[in-house]
Amino acid sequence: MTTPASLLEADVPRPVLDVIARLHELGHAVFLVGGCVRDTLRGVHPKDFDVATSALPEEVQRAFRKVIPTGIQHGTVTVVQAGTHVEVTTFRSEGDYHDGRRPSAVTFEQDIVKDLSRRDFTINAMAWNPLTHELADPFGGQADLKARLVRCVGSAIERFSEDGLRPMRAVRFAAVLDFTLDPGTQAAIPATLPVFRKVAHERVREEFVKLLLSKREAFGLELLADTGLLDVFLPELARADAEAARLARTAAAAEPVDVEIRLAALLADLVSPQQAEEIGVRLKFPTKTIERVRLLISHAALERHVGDSDPALRRLLAKVGLANVEALTSVARARIQAREPSRLPELDALIGRLRALAASKPPLSGKDLALNGGAIMATLGVGPSPIVGEATRFLLEQVLDEPSLNEAEKLKDLLLTWQRARGC
């Protein structure tokens, strides 16, 4: 078999090559496997290089000075070579999967084909030795790469029944790589949804985020819906009216490519802020992400503020926070682009006003006032009490109306007038 030029020209890091050379020197079969081979064949520089070998874990440990037993029970150790961590796994086959997540047993093998046969998709089931240029592709991964096809190794029903996350990964790969999902592979997904339901929400979230941030997120989301996967973890979108779901998928293409922006754009017109928070909790998103998505959804309908006065827009900025202005405008613009593109000019004009107001850095909170709590108490002649909070809110309302009032003497005059009006 002729070695593809992309493999011959591959830039494999020296520490990885040194590990492969050492194991080869000791008489062991050794290959790069999985995603790094797939990406190299696509002309994309891999993020990680995984090594598979016929050497047993203890043999790998003896071959190198520093080895970390990261997953030695499953045959995986990490070789530290010239400061670089290189993951090395013994060829293996796997027993039955009882929980839809992990094999009941692992058997070490000497044959690379047996190792590749346990993998999920043909494009991930290739192995290559960059020293000898030997390429193992027993399941047609190269052909599927050329055809831009995601296809299971062997029986799709078996692969999906082994690991419940694989159907989600199949859809994610199709979206991220801009590939087609093999019809037989796609047809196997609905029958294995009970296994998918066993998968931890954290693992589902990780795949969902990768899909959401891809260039074909709308295609991926539609494929998730068609296969029944979406209804398992995001029924709010899966069960939405067909047109509402289509518009939401379109809006999810928001720029910049940011998980909080895209998630907010996807959900803004489908759920309430409270429901968005519940979704975030369900999928185990970080608290910071959940809070920001809720905030963006709460104010996503910026078109309602077209024609608002500057004081009203400053109050909006006070609720949103200057740090979130650009994210909010991205979400608002994505929604309108999908739903009412004819309103983009007026929305853009509003966004311009908001940006100008934000750039002037107006006082938007009590902390921005020219008088702090101590100065307010001194001016009013009072000690710590609820009236200090009332006075702070009063002054903030004044400067939101007119930022030029945010000077110490002007605020003191306003305070004294307010105090006299209260009769205290």
Side-chain angles (χ1 to χ4, degrees):
M1 180 184 294
T2 302
T3 303
S6 56
L7 292 182
L8 293 174
E9 298 167 2
D11 182 19
V12 181
R14 173 50 57 185
V16 177
L17 289 175
D18 289 343
V19 168
I20 292 172
R22 175 62 175 156
L23 292 171
H24 181 74
E25 175 186 300
L26 293 173
H28 303 295
V30 57
F31 295 88
L32 289 173
V33 292
C36 64
V37 181
R38 177 197 70 227
D39 289 344
T40 300
L41 284 167
R42 294 175 57 234
V44 176
H45 186 68
K47 295 180 180 177
D48 302 298
F49 291 84
D50 294 326
V51 176
T53 179
S54 60
L56 296 173
E58 54 268 28
E59 292 176 315
V60 178
Q61 287 179 308
R62 288 197 298 268
F64 300 94
R65 290 184 178 180
K66 187 173 182 180
V67 180
I68 304 169
T70 43
I72 197 165
Q73 69 275 23
H74 299 297
T76 300
V77 297
T78 300
V79 176
V80 182
Q81 184 76 12
T84 298
H85 286 218
V86 182
E87 190 170 281
V88 180
T89 302
T90 302
F91 299 160
R92 70 191 193 204
S93 57
E94 298 172 341
D96 293 336
Y97 285 68
H98 296 312
D99 60 0
R101 295 172 57 202
R102 293 178 294 266
S104 57
V106 169
T107 302
F108 297 139
E109 302 285 356
Q110 293 294 301
D111 181 4
I112 183 60
V113 174
K114 286 187 176 180
D115 182 86
L116 295 177
S117 67
R118 69 180 174 81
R119 296 176 183 264
D120 49 10
F121 311 115
T122 60
I123 58 175
N124 295 333
M126 294 179 283
W128 169 58
N129 184 314
L131 299 182
T132 64
H133 302 306
E134 180 183 357
L135 175 63
D137 180 17
F139 304 104
Q142 288 184 92
D144 285 346
L145 272 182
K146 291 179 181 177
R148 307 179 71 83
L149 189 69
V150 177
R151 179 169 61 90
C152 278
V153 171
S155 165
I157 288 284
E158 290 181 12
R159 296 293 82 74
F160 291 160
S161 296
E162 289 167 349
D163 183 344
L165 191 63
R166 283 175 173 169
M168 186 83 177
R169 281 170 54 81
V171 174
R172 189 260 291 179
F173 273 119
V176 171
L177 299 179
D178 193 11
F179 281 19
T180 300
L181 191 56
D182 167 66
T185 297
Q186 181 171 340
I189 294 177
T192 55
L193 288 177
V195 187
F196 175 64
R197 293 179 187 277
K198 299 178 182 180
V199 178
H201 287 143
E202 292 90 342
R203 299 181 73 202
V204 173
R205 182 202 65 229
E206 290 172 4
E207 295 295 327
F208 176 57
V209 167
K210 290 175 183 176
L211 183 154
L212 194 62
L213 298 181
S214 72
K215 293 181 179 179
R216 297 184 74 203
E217 87 303 322
F219 163 78
L221 290 167
E222 187 172 9
L223 195 51
L224 286 177
D226 290 344
T227 55
L229 290 164
L230 192 66
D231 191 56
V232 175
F233 69 93
L234 193 56
E236 295 84 354
L237 175 59
R239 301 173 190 176
D241 170 79
E243 179 63 6
R246 184 188 70 80
L247 292 172
R249 292 193 298 267
T250 302
E255 296 289 343
V257 180
D258 174 275
V259 63
E260 293 164 356
I261 291 174
R262 288 202 165 179
L263 191 57
L266 176 68
L267 299 177
D269 292 294
L270 295 178
V271 302
S272 68
Q274 175 61 36
Q275 288 172 314
E277 181 176 335
E278 292 168 359
I279 290 169
V281 171
R282 178 197 312 154
L283 295 180
K284 310 294 185 182
F285 276 100
T287 300
K288 182 179 178 182
T289 296
I290 295 171
E291 291 175 349
R292 194 169 192 231
V293 169
R294 175 169 182 154
L295 175 72
L296 294 175
I297 288 178
S298 296
H299 302 285
L302 268 187
E303 68 274 13
R304 297 173 185 171
H305 297 280
V306 170
D308 277 9
S309 65
D310 282 359
L313 293 183
R314 280 192 288 270
R315 285 178 169 80
L316 175 62
L317 290 175
K319 293 175 182 176
V320 173
L322 294 181
N324 295 310
V325 171
E326 290 304 317
L328 177 62
T329 57
S330 295
V331 173
R333 207 173 188 286
R335 291 178 52 258
I336 293 301
Q337 177 74 57
R339 295 170 176 277
E340 299 178 87
S342 63
R343 297 195 66 181
L344 276 177
E346 64 178 353
L347 180 65
D348 284 340
L350 172 64
I351 290 172
R353 289 180 61 203
L354 280 171
R355 285 173 173 164
L357 288 172
S360 69
K361 296 183 179 179
L364 299 176
S365 70
K367 294 179 181 179
D368 299 328
L369 294 174
L371 292 182
N372 60 23
I376 290 174
M377 287 188 284
T379 301
L380 296 176
V382 301
S385 65
I387 196 173
V388 178
E390 294 177 36
T392 301
R393 289 188 288 274
F394 164 75
L395 291 179
L396 182 58
E397 287 298 313
Q398 307 312 303
V399 299
L400 285 171
D401 281 333
E402 182 48 69
S404 65
L405 293 174
N406 195 32
E407 297 176 6
E409 293 306 315
K410 291 180 180 179
L411 294 185
K412 287 178 182 178
D413 289 342
L414 286 170
L415 267 184
L416 292 173
T417 300
W418 175 75
Q419 186 180 44
R420 287 193 296 269
R422 287 170 53 89
C424 57

